[in-house]
Amino acid sequence: MSLTIVEAREAVDRLGEFDSVIDARSPGEFAEDFLPDALNWPVLDDGERRLVGTLYKQISALQARKVGAALVAKNVAQHIERHVGDKPREWRPLVYCWRGGQRSGSLAWFLSQIGFRTFQLAGGYKAFRALVREDLEQLPARFDFRVLAGRTGSGKTRLLQALRDQGAQVLDLEALACHRGSVLGGLPDKPQPPQKRFDTLLWQALRALDPARPVFVESESQKVGSVRVPDALILRLREHGHCTVVDMGEDARVTLLLEDYGFFAADPERFCRLIGGLVELRGRETVQRWQRQARAGAWAEVFAEMMREHYDPLYLRSMDKHFLHLAQAPRLVLRDGGNDSLQAAARELLSQA
């Protein structure tokens, strides 16, 4: 039997050496965030965790430990019955909980007693979270970012995908955030990750990049929907990123928006609720006109008006404020959002990288 305590930095550097990463926290904790590829084997579920915590505060630590021990023993036994039967002697799990204490310690001890070479994360998820936050302050400075700027509907996200198809390194912040970055940017049936989960996904994406090669990324606001892009990355993009302005004609932009946001046609009331938040910026009369157009199915008209009267002025003010040399940036004209145009533009960008 073997049980080894491993520090967070060593653990993440050796993640590929572990056959399984096991999160012993409750499902609610796991839903907030977890280590890459972790499996949730809760030693206490959410209700049991609350019960033990209540006993600890209201009765005594001894009573909480008595009840908790029985629950932990039962749950660990169930995990062993369900998940361990097919594991070979050489199986090497890494186990963690919130702070590397009793929950992960109990599960790790049982696994080591069976005979598996088991590792327990010192400091638990809390130590991992601290490492992620530290790395997100340091990692952006390593990269040469090529920033795609351009007005809403100009094909920047599609161009990122075309660049990826041709082998370029891409950091797609909107894909990580599950949001297109505007008041209408929420994806249907795909909620945004919690902030901690977004941070970990971004951390994984940055760690996978090669600092010796350029990284293409879209210009973004500090917030993408409900999640916040770390300050260090935003500053790196704005102060050191090499910008290219992506331009597309209005008719082609409207066509692209109709394709990307066509799902609103099935639920115009959702669209109307979302743009209701623009009353303070654009006035009640304007917003109500857009809502009437949407309910009437005049989607091309409403998107064209919103581009001209809301998105374009807002975007240009933001870009002029945050990207001081944007006026001198090279321009890339996209004929439309079709695959041929995008692939040609991607080749042109890569030839200049």
Side-chain angles (χ1 to χ4, degrees), residues 16 23 32 56 91 112 117 142 153 170 174 197 297 306 335:
D23 188 321
E32 284 291 308
Y56 187 91
W91 183 59
S112 70
R117 187 177 178 190
R142 299 181 182 179
V170 166
E174 292 185 359
R197 187 72 198 133
M306 289 185 70
R335 183 178 68 253

Side-chain angles (χ1 to χ4, degrees), residues 303-322:
F303 283 140
E305 284 194 24
M306 289 185 70
M307 281 193 323
R308 289 192 298 266
E309 299 176 31
H310 174 66
Y311 285 114
D312 288 359
L314 201 66
Y315 185 83
L316 292 173
R317 282 199 300 271
S318 174
M319 293 300 293
D320 288 342
K321 176 181 178 181
H322 296 300

Side-chain angles (χ1 to χ4, degrees), residues 116-144:
F116 300 118
R117 187 177 178 190
T118 305
F119 297 81
Q120 183 183 359
L121 180 60
Y125 172 80
K126 188 175 182 181
F128 169 73
R129 172 67 180 165
L131 181 152
V132 167
R133 295 183 65 176
E134 177 185 343
D135 282 358
L136 288 177
E137 289 296 315
Q138 305 297 327
L139 286 171
R142 299 181 182 179
F143 300 107
D144 171 19

Side-chain angles (χ1 to χ4, degrees), residues 74-95:
K74 177 194 70 174
N75 292 332
V76 168
Q78 291 176 348
H79 291 311
I80 291 173
E81 288 177 355
R82 293 171 184 168
H83 307 300
V84 176
D86 63 344
K87 299 295 187 289
R89 178 184 293 275
E90 297 77 22
W91 183 59
R92 292 155 53 93
L94 171 68
V95 184

Side-chain angles (χ1 to χ4, degrees), residues 179-180 182-186 261 263-264 271 274-275 303 306 311:
H179 200 281
R180 292 193 174 104
S182 70
V183 68
L184 301 175
Y261 293 91
F263 56 86
F264 280 120
F271 176 90
L274 289 171
I275 67 170
F303 283 140
M306 289 185 70
Y311 285 114

Side-chain angles (χ1 to χ4, degrees), residues 145-156:
F145 287 109
R146 306 301 174 92
V147 182
L148 303 182
R151 295 172 296 175
T152 298
S154 56
K156 301 185 299 294

Side-chain angles (χ1 to χ4, degrees), residues 91-289:
W91 183 59
R92 292 155 53 93
L94 171 68
V95 184
Y96 70 94
C97 59
W98 169 239
R99 286 185 295 191
Q102 293 180 340
R103 287 186 289 175
S104 59
S106 299
L107 179 56
W109 182 84
F110 272 103
L111 294 175
S112 70
Q113 289 294 307
I114 293 172
F116 300 118
R117 187 177 178 190
T118 305
F119 297 81
Q120 183 183 359
L121 180 60
Y125 172 80
K126 188 175 182 181
F128 169 73
R129 172 67 180 165
L131 181 152
V132 167
R133 295 183 65 176
E134 177 185 343
D135 282 358
L136 288 177
E137 289 296 315
Q138 305 297 327
L139 286 171
R142 299 181 182 179
F143 300 107
D144 171 19
F145 287 109
R146 306 301 174 92
V147 182
L148 303 182
R151 295 172 296 175
T152 298
S154 56
K156 301 185 299 294
T157 302
R158 294 188 183 190
L159 182 53
L160 280 184
Q161 183 58 57
L163 285 160
R164 178 180 280 132
D165 290 344
Q166 296 195 24
Q169 288 196 125
V170 166
L171 179 63
D172 192 339
L173 294 171
E174 292 185 359
L176 295 176
C178 296
H179 200 281
R180 292 193 174 104
S182 70
V183 68
L184 301 175
L187 303 181
D189 304 320
K190 194 170 184 181
Q192 286 199 263
Q195 181 67 50
K196 290 179 181 178
R197 187 72 198 133
F198 172 75
D199 289 346
T200 296
L201 293 171
L202 176 58
W203 172 81
Q204 286 182 257
L206 289 171
R207 279 171 52 92
L209 296 172
D210 179 359
R213 299 171 57 208
V215 179
F216 291 89
V217 62
E218 206 174 325
S219 61
E220 294 291 352
S221 301
Q222 181 87 60
K223 293 195 71 176
V224 184
S226 63
V227 299
R228 183 179 178 87
V229 180
D231 291 343
L233 178 56
I234 284 291
L235 289 174
R236 182 69 178 176
L237 297 180
R238 290 175 177 175
E239 296 180 2
H240 300 280
H242 297 86
C243 285
T244 296
V245 178
V246 181
D247 202 4
M248 185 186 289
E250 182 174 298
D251 289 346
R253 290 170 64 202
V254 171
T255 298
L256 187 149
L257 291 173
L258 288 170
E259 293 171 357
D260 285 353
Y261 293 91
F263 56 86
F264 280 120
D267 189 5
E269 289 307 315
R270 180 187 174 208
F271 176 90
C272 292
R273 286 194 301 272
L274 289 171
I275 67 170
L278 299 178
V279 168
E280 186 174 344
L281 281 173
R282 299 300 165 213
R284 187 170 302 279
E285 182 179 343
T286 296
V287 171
Q288 287 179 342
R289 182 178 73 251

